[in-house]
Structures are given as structure tokens and as C-alpha cells.
Amino acid sequence: LIFVVSQFIAIFRKSNIGLVIQTVLSVAVLAFSILYFYEKQTLIILQSLMALLMFVLAYNNHTTFKRNKFYTITYIVVGILIIGAIIF
């Protein structure tokens, strides 16, 4: 446990906060996906976390990895569509 915490601190110090947030959100989405099978009322929380994860993926794709902008736009559009699914 101490090793994991020290690794997170090392990543945080390198100004890769986007990657830390992406990791935390990925674990949360996985946990709520498993929980959704048992408790159907967690759907809105799961969708919200997925939309937030899409925006963080777009941020990391654009700033950290500096990859093709097509993927950044795709992540943003998918995040907006998930928010639209929550609202409607």
C-alpha cells in the first residue's frame, strides 16, 4: 500500500495530474459497472463518471500524449452524447 501511494505521489509531482485523474475515474467506472449489475439505480452515477472520463481522456490525448486531434474531438463528442443521454 505504501508503494502504491508513493507511486501516485511521484506521478503527481511530475505534473501528470490528468493521468492520475484518468486512473481514478477508470477504477470508479469499473467499480460502478460491477455495482450496476446488482443495483440498477447507479446508472446516472455511472453515466456521469463515464462522461467525465471521456473529457479527461480528451484532455490527456491533447496535452499529455499530443496525438491526433480526431481522437480528442471524438472523446468530447462521446462525452456530450453521454450527458445528453443523462438529461433526456
Side-chain angles (χ1 to χ4, degrees):
L1 182 63
I2 295 172
F3 177 73
V4 172
V5 172
S6 66
Q7 291 298 319
F8 271 148
I9 291 172
I11 291 172
F12 184 74
R13 286 186 183 160
K14 292 180 183 177
S15 299
N16 289 333
I17 189 68
L19 295 176
V20 175
I21 294 172
Q22 180 178 336
T23 304
V24 170
L25 283 174
S26 298
V27 171
V29 165
L30 180 65
F32 275 96
S33 296
I34 294 169
L35 184 62
Y36 174 71
F37 286 114
Y38 300 105
E39 190 64 42
K40 301 294 183 190
Q41 295 175 351
T42 60
L43 180 63
I44 293 176
I45 297 171
L46 177 60
Q47 288 177 330
S48 301
L49 288 173
M50 287 174 51
L52 190 58
L53 178 62
M54 287 296 121
F55 292 129
V56 171
L57 283 170
Y59 171 78
N60 285 336
N61 189 42
H62 183 71
T63 59
T64 304
F65 301 117
K66 294 178 178 38
R67 291 188 183 151
N68 190 354
K69 290 187 179 184
F70 172 75
Y71 295 115
T72 303
I73 294 170
T74 304
Y75 290 138
I76 292 172
V77 168
V78 170
I80 291 171
L81 289 175
I82 293 172
I83 290 174
I86 294 171
I87 294 173
F88 300 111

